[in-house]
Amino acid sequence: MIFKAYSSIPERLHIVITGERGRPFSLVIERDRAAAVFGGLLALLVLLTAGTWLGAQFFQERNALEDTAASQAEELDLLHANFDGKLKNELGIREKKWRQLMATYEAMVTQLKAEKNEAVSQAEAQLAALVKSSSAKTAALQAELEREKLAKRKLLEQTAGRLDERSRMIETMMSRIGVELKVGKKSGSSGGPFLAASFDEKASRKLLERSDRYIEAIQRMPLGRPARGRITSGFGSRTDPFNGQPAFHAGIDFRGRVGDPITATAVGVVKEVGWDAGGYGNYVIIRHGSGYQTLFAHLSKTLVKKGGAVSQGDKIGLLGSSGRSTGPHLHYEVHYKGKAVDPEKYLSVADLTFTMPM
């Protein structure tokens, strides 16, 4: 349609322009050239229109940005001004507080220095007094210590003397009744009262050890009484009560009633508990150490077992008439190193009373 309209236009247009006065003006326009010019003008018009619109938009946006920038600049200036003011105000407040705090600290430091000086002065005074008092107390304690040393030395000397005298009395007593008491090696016979010329700790220790050995040896010697009744038959030769023939009696007999308690005569260990129908009946044998053994026969009942430990005075059985016996009694024997010895000399020590030095 457009092509037909364009082709209907003459290829050349002759235009004559005249005025009321003057010379006429003629213009020849070719169709194709006019179309090109018109198209160019139209394109130029479109470009100008678009450029104008874009320019208007650009200037509007620029103006808006400028307004925004100006507003933000004003706000920034206001904020800067407020920040400076607040900062100065805050710094002023903090500086004031800091100065007050420094003044407080200085006052505290001054007070502490004064208190320190006072405390040091008091401590020095107390120390001086303490040193003086300590010196006096030390001298008093040293004097008291010396007095205690002398008193203890005197007590030890007296104790050593009593121990020596007690040991000699034990030796004399045992020797008088014929009981051998060995407590260790001896360099030879000695005696006489104890006279302490000067305190000798080593000698005192040996004396204590010697006394301990005496006590231990005496504890293992059968010195106690096995029954309360009186002795009806002694140790040694006698007439046999059954056949009337001479015989050797290896122990001693205590009269009593059936059920009377029979007690151990020293510390020891039960070696044997048994029955001998043709001789001892119910019997108990105790091993005491140091070569000593004791035998208790004709019991109605035994109260200990083999291997049991006993102490002096412990009940080991009841008096009876078991075995080869004519009536209720205890047959008691003492053996030393496998040999029967007379029990009465040991009982005499148990019955002996005398004043021991304390």
Side-chain angles (χ1 to χ4, degrees):
M1 179 71 71
I2 294 175
F3 181 72
K4 287 182 178 181
Y6 179 76
S7 62
S8 65
I9 298 174
E11 293 182 0
R12 288 188 180 185
L13 294 176
H14 188 79
I15 300 173
V16 178
I17 301 174
T18 60
E20 295 179 355
R21 296 179 181 177
R23 188 177 171 180
F25 176 75
S26 61
L27 179 64
V28 178
I29 301 173
E30 294 181 356
R31 182 187 61 184
D32 294 337
R33 183 176 295 179
V37 171
F38 181 75
L41 290 175
L42 181 60
L44 180 61
L45 180 62
V46 170
L47 290 173
L48 289 174
T49 302
T52 301
W53 183 78
L54 290 173
Q57 290 293 326
F58 172 75
F59 282 112
Q60 287 180 0
E61 291 179 0
R62 190 191 68 177
N63 292 335
L65 289 173
E66 287 179 354
D67 293 341
T68 301
S71 176
Q72 291 180 350
E74 291 178 358
E75 291 178 358
L76 184 61
D77 291 339
L78 180 61
L79 182 62
H80 187 270
N82 291 336
F83 177 76
D84 289 342
K86 290 181 178 180
L87 181 61
K88 289 180 180 180
N89 187 32
E90 183 68 22
L91 288 175
I93 293 173
R94 293 195 178 187
E95 182 179 3
K96 184 177 180 181
K97 289 183 178 179
W98 180 80
R99 291 183 181 279
Q100 291 176 351
L101 186 62
M102 286 300 297
T104 303
Y105 285 164
E106 289 178 355
M108 290 176 63
V109 169
T110 302
Q111 183 179 359
L112 288 174
K113 286 182 178 179
E115 292 177 355
K116 183 197 74 171
N117 293 333
E118 183 179 358
V120 169
S121 299
Q122 291 180 355
E124 290 177 348
Q126 292 176 357
L127 182 60
L130 183 62
V131 169
K132 185 177 180 180
S133 176
S134 298
S135 299
K137 289 181 178 179
T138 301
L141 288 174
Q142 288 179 346
E144 182 67 21
L145 182 61
E146 290 298 325
R147 287 194 296 270
E148 289 184 0
K149 285 182 177 179
L150 292 175
K152 287 181 179 179
R153 183 185 296 271
K154 185 177 180 180
L155 178 61
L156 286 173
E157 291 175 353
Q158 292 175 353
T159 303
R162 287 195 295 268
L163 286 173
D164 181 72
E165 187 175 356
R166 181 174 297 184
S167 298
R168 288 188 295 103
M169 289 185 67
I170 291 173
E171 291 174 351
T172 302
M173 177 184 65
M174 292 300 180
S175 176
R176 187 170 66 244
I177 63 175
V179 176
E180 184 180 7
L181 182 61
K182 293 184 178 180
V183 295
K185 295 181 178 179
K186 294 184 178 180
S187 58
S189 300
S190 62
F194 176 82
L195 299 175
S198 61
F199 179 71
D200 188 342
E201 185 177 353
K202 185 176 180 180
S204 179
R205 184 169 59 252
K206 288 183 177 180
L207 184 59
L208 288 172
E209 293 174 355
R210 177 184 170 199
S211 298
D212 290 339
R213 290 196 300 270
Y214 274 140
I215 293 173
E216 182 180 358
I218 290 174
Q219 286 177 341
R220 294 189 177 277
M221 292 178 62
L223 302 179
R225 290 184 63 86
R228 292 193 297 264
R230 66 183 182 86
I231 298 173
T232 58
S233 181
F235 176 85
S237 299
R238 72 169 185 174
T239 300
D240 185 82
F242 285 92
N243 56 29
Q245 299 295 320
F248 179 76
H249 193 214
I252 57 176
D253 294 338
F254 291 85
R255 177 180 293 179
R257 294 179 298 179
V258 175
D260 286 347
I262 304 302
T263 58
T265 54
V267 296
V269 177
V270 178
K271 177 182 178 182
E272 190 175 341
V273 178
W275 165 259
D276 179 16
Y280 292 131
N282 287 318
Y283 68 92
V284 174
I285 298 177
I286 299 176
R287 183 175 62 249
H288 302 285
S290 300
Y292 286 101
Q293 286 188 173
T294 51
L295 180 144
F296 308 80
H298 307 308
L299 305 177
S300 62
K301 184 178 181 180
T302 58
L303 302 178
V304 291
K305 294 182 180 181
K306 182 179 179 180
V310 295
S311 298
Q312 185 180 27
D314 286 352
K315 189 186 295 185
I316 62 170
L318 303 179
L319 187 143
S321 184
S322 60
R324 190 171 182 270
S325 171
T326 60
H329 73 285
L330 168 69
H331 175 77
Y332 173 64
E333 296 181 9
V334 175
H335 292 256
Y336 179 64
K337 293 184 178 181
K339 181 179 179 181
V341 294
D342 187 0
E344 285 197 64
K345 64 181 180 181
Y346 294 92
L347 296 180
S348 64
V349 176
D351 295 333
L352 185 62
T353 59
F354 59 91
T355 303
M356 293 287 285
M358 300 298 294

